[in-house]
Structure formats: C-alpha cells, structure tokens
C-alpha cells in the first residue's frame, strides 16, 4: 500500500486546482501576442523584447504541460499531483494540441500555396506554437477542473 | 471503455465511513482519482483496483464488474 497523509492529499488538491486555473488563464497571454506576430514589426529593441518574452513564456508553458509544473514540491505531493488521472488528462491534452498544430500547419501551407507571401515564416511558426500549446493547456485545465468536482 | 465497467466503490467506501480524501490517502492517490472512479469517468489500472480492494477489505470483483 502506498500511504500518503491526508494533509498531502489536501495540499495536492489545492495545488492541482491552482495549476488547472493557471493552465486556462496563462495561454490567453500567449494568444494575445499572435496579433503582434502576424502584423508588421521591425528589429527595434522593443520588438526583440516582445519576441524574447514570447519565447520564454512558450518554453515555460511547454514545461508546465509536459511535467505538470510541480518540480519544486515534495515527492509525495508531486506523485499525487501527477497520478493516473492527471497522466490521462495530459495525454489527451497533448493529442489535442498535436491535432491543432497539424491543422494550423496544413491551413498555413494551403494559404501560402494559394496566396504566396500572405504569412511570413515567423508568423506561421508563432501561430502553430501558440495555438497548439494554448489549446493543449486549456484542454488540460478544463479536464482537471472537471475531475476535481 | 468506461461505460462497460460498473463499480460499487462509493457504496463500499461509505459503508466503512470513509471520505474520498481518507480513502485517497490510504492508497496514495489524489481525491480526484477516487472521485472520477466513483463517477465512472476513469477506469483505474489493476494496481489501483487492487489497492482499493485491499483498503476497503474486499475483493476487486466485488468493487468492479462488467456491465451486462
């Protein structure tokens, strides 16, 4: 038997609720920048900062999706936060995100084939990453919230 | 196939006067796992099914059965 204390279970549940809320809210910040990436921008310092912050945020959200984001918590709490149900939700979210990435890439390819020069490469990459990552995280957050009751 | 599996986990847990959190702590899973198993949303692994049966002092077949 793999006993945990009731306080660990309560703490893990509180942390899981917070993680589910973050998984729904944070992608909105990522999606906000899609408008910036698809529009005109130059090589000014402010543009570089915005692009750099997007790279950092996208990397952090990817880590949250892949690891569960509870790396600094005790092992027992981490195990409770990443149990079988969570792993199933994460797998479902990643599958959803992958599907979104493929659909976005295919649509971008078709658009570029029909109307060359419509979307710059940077914008296409931004769209694929932002939409798939945001979609996967939101799905993860919704599934988690639903199961927490 | 979640819809093909029935379970009497809630009844067994309540018969022993345990809350979802207490049962979760006994077998080392989150309360979310107990909640989703009881609601038929999640089909647990064999390991969790065996742990549940041990914690509730019953057999796995008494907790889980295939729907007709």
């Amino acid at each position: 038997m793999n006993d945990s204390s009731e306080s660990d279970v309560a703490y893990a549940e509180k942390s899981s609720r917070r993680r589910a809320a973050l998984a729904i809210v944070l992608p909105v910040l990522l999606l906000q920048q899609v408008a910036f990436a698809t529009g005109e921008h130059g090589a000014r310092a402010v543009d570089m900062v915005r692009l750099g912050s997007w790279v950092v945020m996208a990397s952090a959200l990817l880590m949250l999706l892949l690891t569960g984001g509870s790396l600094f918590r005790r092992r027992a709490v981490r195990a409770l936060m990443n149990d079988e149900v969570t792993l199933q939700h994460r797998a479902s979210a990643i599958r959803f995100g992958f599907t979104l990435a493929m659909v976005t890439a295919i649509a971008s390819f078709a658009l570029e084939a029909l109307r060359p020069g419509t979307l710059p490469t940077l914008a296409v990459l931004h769209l694929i990453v932002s939409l798939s990552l945001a979609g996967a995280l939101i799905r993860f957050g919704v599934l988690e919230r639903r199961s927490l009751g | 196939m979640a819809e093909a599996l029935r379970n009497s986990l809630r009844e067994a847990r309540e018969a022993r006067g345990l809350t979802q959190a207490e049962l979760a702590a006994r077998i080392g899973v989150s309360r979310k796992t107990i909640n989703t198993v009881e609601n038929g949303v999640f089909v647990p692994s064999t390991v969790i099914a065996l742990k549940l049966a041990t914690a509730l002092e019953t057999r796995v077949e008494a907790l889980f059965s295939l729907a007709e």
Side-chain angles (χ1 to χ4, degrees):
Chain A
M1 197 70 65
N2 205 0
D3 288 284
S4 303
S5 73
E6 282 182 54
S7 62
D8 279 349
V9 171
Y11 181 63
E13 179 160 345
K14 194 175 164 188
S15 300
S16 294
R17 281 187 191 280
R18 198 178 307 136
R19 178 177 63 186
L22 281 176
I24 293 171
V25 172
L26 287 179
V28 175
L29 300 175
L30 197 69
L31 290 174
Q32 271 185 337
Q33 294 204 12
V34 169
F36 165 71
T38 51
E40 290 285 317
H41 64 86
R44 296 173 303 160
V46 67
D47 296 325
M48 292 299 111
V49 169
R50 287 179 97 160
L51 286 174
S53 68
W54 178 83
V55 169
V56 170
M57 187 187 293
S59 304
L61 291 179
L62 181 62
M63 286 300 289
L64 174 67
L65 179 66
L66 295 179
T67 66
S70 50
L71 299 175
F72 302 110
R73 293 196 168 84
R74 287 188 302 109
R75 184 180 290 183
V77 173
R78 212 164 56 228
L80 288 170
M81 288 181 68
N82 293 295
D83 62 0
E84 282 186 14
V85 179
T86 308
L87 295 182
Q88 194 180 68
H89 289 166
R90 190 176 299 147
S92 170
I94 290 171
R95 193 164 53 240
F96 182 70
F98 176 77
T99 306
L100 271 180
M102 289 301 104
V103 169
T104 310
I106 292 166
S108 302
F109 179 84
L111 185 64
E112 189 60 26
L114 294 172
R115 304 180 75 172
T118 309
L119 285 172
T121 309
L122 194 66
V124 172
L125 294 172
H126 197 297
L127 266 175
I128 292 170
V129 173
S130 296
L131 290 179
S132 58
L133 197 50
L137 276 166
I138 290 170
R139 180 164 177 80
F140 177 70
V142 168
L143 289 172
E144 284 284 287
R145 282 180 71 89
R146 204 181 288 161
S147 68
L148 283 161
Chain B
M1 291 193 293
E3 68 278 5
L5 190 70
R6 277 197 303 233
N7 77 78
S8 58
L9 184 60
R10 190 187 303 273
E11 292 79 8
R13 173 178 62 76
E14 288 176 350
R16 281 156 187 80
L18 293 171
T19 64
Q20 288 184 338
E22 286 167 345
L23 179 57
R26 283 192 184 193
I27 68 165
V29 298
S30 65
R31 190 193 62 82
K32 181 174 61 184
T33 296
I34 304 297
N35 186 43
T36 49
V37 172
E38 285 187 356
N39 292 327
V41 176
F42 174 62
V43 178
S45 67
T46 311
V47 173
I48 288 186
L50 287 166
K51 284 182 177 179
L52 285 168
T54 305
L56 295 170
E57 297 169 334
T58 185
R59 292 176 303 112
V60 172
E61 299 93 312
L63 287 178
F64 299 96
S65 60
L66 290 173
E68 293 297 320

